[in-house]
Amino acid sequence: MSDALLTLEIEKLVAGGLGLARDESGVVLVRGALPGEQVTARVRAGKGVRQGQTVEVLRRSPVRVDGPDLPTADLAHATYEAQLDFKRAFVQEALSRIAKVQHGVSPTVPSPEAWGYRNTAQYLVTPGGLAYRERRGSEPLVVRRDPLVMPQIQAVMDRIDPTLLDPATEVAFRASRLTGEVVAAVIGAGETRQYLRASDHLMEAGVVGVSLAQPAGKRFSAGVRLIAGESEIREQFGQVQVSVSATGFAQVNPQAAGLAYERAAELAGKGEHAVDLYGGAGAIGRHLAPNFRRVTVLDAAPEALARGRQDVAVSGESNVTFRSGDAARFSELGTDVIVVDPPRAGLEEGAREHINASTADRLVYVSCDPATWARDVGDLVRRGWKLADVIPHDFYPQTSHVEIVSVLNR
């Protein structure tokens, strides 16, 4: 099946930052296009909804700008104000189409920084330089300057000779806005001694610690060992400080995430007992601590729970407890408020059952995926919960991703 060049009118933007157009054969979703534009697109023939790539813009949108060509930056061709409007519309669309709920959505809360905000990045090590992993069948894209990462990571990248990282196949960085420090992890098979040269080179380039992670299907699941220096650095998220590593999960935009966590705590209100499901290292749960007599943080990841316990030991929050467990099987008596920040797949059926059967009369739902959030909200509304505030937050400027902070009451 060959690609066709089509001239298309773009009606609107849909999730994933794709422009929706129609022709006599049906719907086409076009990457790199904006509403109101006429474009020439290279469209792949195939079953179902066809996908295309903008080749030429014949009629420009007034909000179009020239953005960098990065595989991750799928909205960088629109002004930042327009990006915030599109993200609000993605949430509104999911709410009406998937949840079947008619409800207002607040304006998107902008990220304090629209560029240079990412505190973490992972690149392929290629002879030509550090590169973005190939997407959609293209070659790895060597990246000299990455406008999305914090300047501290770019400064380290500027000093790296990729040939000295051998035998590593990838390298990951994590920077701290709080301290200015950067830690790195090299990813590759074998023993730590095989990576001593790579580790020395990274330390000379300015990182404060280097770890080795074995390649694995699920990111960093095959174990991580420290080669030199520090494995963790401190970072500020809203009102709390947490320890972060090059390989552990933490939000990539601490300033924007901090605003969302403060908002979640505000919506949670006050009470006796709050439970933070999928709570990780407790960044949200710890924001609840001043307003509740006790807070239980539940997560299935031992690494995150260990970091959380370590962080509260340092900060002295005595009313936060970390428990290992599955959100679909939690049964906690006497809960006033439940906070959830689940992975992209949303709440499992079992978790929704438990939330509904709990004593909680308020649910604060933080989500990174409008579609699964809307599915869960629709289900809870049909069970008798009432949706109140819905506030999109932008953690990932220049991309089509949007976070949602919302609250439901009995």
Side-chain angles (χ1 to χ4, degrees):
M1 284 187 180
S2 61
D3 292 355
L5 277 179
L6 302 179
T7 301
L8 297 165
E9 294 281 342
I10 307 300
E11 295 174 22
K12 64 175 184 176
L13 218 56
V14 297
L18 300 166
L20 183 143
R22 297 170 211 268
D23 66 2
E24 59 282 359
S25 305
V27 170
V28 187
L29 296 179
V30 184
R31 202 170 286 280
L34 293 171
E37 289 188 332
Q38 186 184 58
V39 302
T40 303
R42 181 173 287 107
V43 177
R44 283 200 307 273
K47 289 193 177 71
V49 175
R50 291 159 298 155
Q51 298 235 356
Q53 177 76 38
T54 301
V55 177
E56 190 186 352
V57 180
L58 305 173
R59 185 177 67 242
R60 276 174 77 96
S61 162
V63 301
R64 178 174 281 277
V65 293
D66 295 326
D69 183 24
L70 294 172
T72 50
D74 54 11
L75 272 190
H77 55 292
T79 64
Y80 189 51
E81 290 70 25
Q83 293 177 33
L84 297 173
D85 290 342
F86 292 142
K87 293 184 189 204
R88 180 190 194 177
F90 294 160
V91 177
Q92 191 78 67
E93 153 87 355
L95 205 48
S96 55
R97 186 175 57 82
I98 300 169
K100 305 277 191 282
V101 171
Q102 296 308 313
H103 190 84
V105 174
S106 298
T108 307
V109 177
S111 167
E113 306 279 348
W115 295 97
Y117 61 86
R118 279 191 72 100
N119 70 357
T120 189
Q122 186 172 333
Y123 302 103
L124 293 171
V125 178
T126 76
L130 301 183
Y132 269 102
R133 184 183 283 287
E134 63 274 28
R135 283 175 74 168
R136 301 191 296 277
S138 53
E139 287 298 296
L141 176 71
V142 172
V143 56
R144 300 268 176 259
R145 297 204 64 75
D146 188 336
L148 299 181
V149 301
M150 278 172 52
Q152 291 86 342
I153 293 178
Q154 185 64 54
V156 170
M157 287 166 64
D158 290 342
R159 299 189 203 106
I160 284 177
D161 174 353
T163 60
L164 297 178
L165 297 182
D166 190 69
T169 54
E170 294 182 70
V171 62
F173 301 103
R174 172 82 70 177
S176 165
R177 193 171 281 279
L178 179 68
T179 67
E181 297 168 308
V182 181
V183 284
V186 286
I187 298 156
E191 294 302 314
T192 48
R193 64 171 187 275
Q194 294 167 257
Y195 294 88
L196 294 176
R197 182 182 72 159
S199 171
D200 289 346
H201 180 53
L202 285 163
M203 296 290 277
E204 281 160 17
V207 307
V208 299
V210 182
S211 300
L212 170 65
Q214 300 294 322
K218 187 169 179 292
R219 213 164 162 257
F220 305 126
S221 60
V224 179
R225 283 169 294 168
L226 184 64
I227 306 175
E230 306 292 324
S231 62
E232 293 177 343
I233 47 183
R234 304 289 294 167
E235 183 58 284
Q236 184 89 24
F237 285 86
Q239 303 300 313
V240 304
Q241 281 187 25
V242 302
S243 47
V244 293
S245 69
T247 55
F249 176 78
Q251 287 292 356
V252 308
N253 186 341
Q255 286 179 295
L259 293 174
Y261 297 168
E262 288 169 355
R263 180 60 60 90
E266 203 180 292
L267 295 176
K270 291 178 160 52
E272 276 293 299
H273 184 204
V275 175
D276 179 10
L277 296 183
Y278 310 91
I284 298 180
R286 289 172 60 203
H287 276 87
L288 308 175
N291 296 324
F292 288 85
R293 202 167 62 78
R294 61 192 183 103
V295 176
T296 304
V297 177
L298 192 83
D299 200 274
E303 180 268 341
L305 294 168
R307 269 193 299 129
R309 289 186 184 109
Q310 182 186 315
D311 288 339
V312 297
V314 171
S315 66
E317 288 145 310
S318 57
N319 62 335
V320 181
T321 310
F322 290 84
R323 273 182 43 187
S324 177
D326 178 351
R329 284 200 284 277
F330 91 96
S331 50
E332 186 65 49
L333 294 173
T335 310
D336 303 322
V337 174
I338 295 171
V339 178
V340 294
D341 184 7
R344 202 162 285 288
L347 298 172
E348 304 106 302
E349 177 81 29
R352 296 199 297 271
E353 294 284 347
H354 274 294
I355 288 165
N356 197 49
S358 75
T359 54
D361 52 17
R362 178 169 298 172
L363 172 69
V364 178
Y365 192 154
V366 180
S367 169
C368 62
D369 188 286
T372 56
W373 167 82
R375 174 202 68 199
D376 296 343
V377 164
D379 180 44
L380 290 163
V381 165
R382 284 185 286 280
R383 293 174 192 248
W385 293 73
K386 195 166 167 45
L387 185 62
D389 301 54
V390 177
I391 308 148
H393 279 254
D394 191 15
F395 288 14
Y396 298 92
Q398 317 310 326
T399 80
S400 58
H401 293 290
V402 59
E403 303 276 325
I404 303 161
V405 179
S406 62
V407 64
L408 295 105
N409 297 302
R410 290 273 188 194

